[in-house]
Amino acid sequence: MAKQGDTVVTFIPFSGYRPSLKDGEDIGERISPPYDVIDETYLKELQSNDHSITWLTLDQKNGRYNGSRKKLDSWIADGSLVGDEESFYLYEQRFKSDGKTLIRTGIVGALRTETYDNGNIIPHEETFSKVKEDRLNLLRDMETHLESIFCISEGFSRELNEKISSASEKLYSYTD
């Protein structure tokens, strides 16, 4: 459990899968931007790689993702994806804004679902019924979460940042 002020949320590590890159393969061949910014031309480019995540997140047939589930299972079976022990996953983004280089550090974990009425989780944008239905079908058909939901927190304490730095291992690096 994490506590910030009077707000308490449950945020825990989980057992996930991550790419197992073959010799000469770059992580950029497996990842993609968020589904909602990919047009048909860019999707074809991304899917020129047999292990692009878009084969799972954007390969629906008649509004469902049943074939994507089979593909996910085959990637696990052939070792293209490897399982991890319960973990948090860290990422760091460096970008320029107004001539300054900024760093945003993120942590991926499992956040307990709760209603907005509790005041701990606040929606950040308007969502559309068609998109929510599509992403719900993806979740139902895949029986796993393939996409993270972006959340913002005021930051980690100095002590937590030090623990994260000392316990983390860099696995991939990508420049966009």
Side-chain angles (χ1 to χ4, degrees), residues 89-114:
Y89 295 83
L90 302 172
Y91 66 92
E92 182 179 274
Q93 297 171 314
R94 292 175 184 264
F95 56 97
K96 291 196 185 276
S97 178
D98 295 328
K100 293 171 50 179
T101 299
L102 302 175
I103 300 171
R104 177 169 47 202
T105 302
I107 185 167
V108 179
L111 180 67
R112 186 188 70 179
T113 303
E114 59 181 74

Side-chain angles (χ1 to χ4, degrees), residues 17-132:
Y17 287 90
R18 59 182 170 78
S20 174
L21 302 178
K22 296 173 179 53
D23 287 340
E25 186 180 18
D26 184 85
I27 190 65
E29 298 172 43
R30 302 272 191 112
I31 62 175
S32 81
Y35 69 92
D36 57 350
V37 299
I38 300 172
D39 63 21
E40 287 299 316
T41 302
Y42 191 29
L43 180 60
K44 286 180 184 175
E45 179 185 328
L46 292 167
Q47 290 183 341
S48 67
N49 182 293
D50 292 338
H51 292 97
S52 168
I53 189 67
T54 58
W55 281 112
L56 306 181
T57 60
L58 290 171
D59 195 38
Q60 63 160 302
K61 306 286 189 270
N62 301 316
R64 300 313 294 253
Y65 292 87
N66 297 316
S68 295
R69 178 58 203 220
K70 291 176 186 168
K71 189 174 290 289
L72 173 65
D73 291 341
S74 75
W75 290 357
I76 293 168
D78 74 13
S80 297
L81 292 174
V82 293
D84 282 328
E85 303 278 326
E86 281 197 350
S87 302
F88 285 109
Y89 295 83
L90 302 172
Y91 66 92
E92 182 179 274
Q93 297 171 314
R94 292 175 184 264
F95 56 97
K96 291 196 185 276
S97 178
D98 295 328
K100 293 171 50 179
T101 299
L102 302 175
I103 300 171
R104 177 169 47 202
T105 302
I107 185 167
V108 179
L111 180 67
R112 186 188 70 179
T113 303
E114 59 181 74
T115 68
Y116 296 136
D117 297 339
N118 294 343
N120 295 327
I121 307 297
I122 302 167
H124 73 286
E125 65 183 335
E126 182 180 349
T127 55
F128 302 98
S129 296
K130 184 178 178 183
V131 174
K132 285 193 283 191

Side-chain angles (χ1 to χ4, degrees), residues 1-11 153 155 157 160:
M1 291 236 263
K3 183 172 175 66
Q4 184 173 338
D6 293 328
T7 302
V8 177
V9 296
T10 302
F11 185 67
S153 173
S157 68
L160 182 56

Side-chain angles (χ1 to χ4, degrees), residues 158-168:
R158 170 180 241 123
E159 180 184 48
L160 182 56
N161 276 329
E162 289 171 3
K163 286 181 180 180
I164 289 170
S165 292
S166 66
S168 61

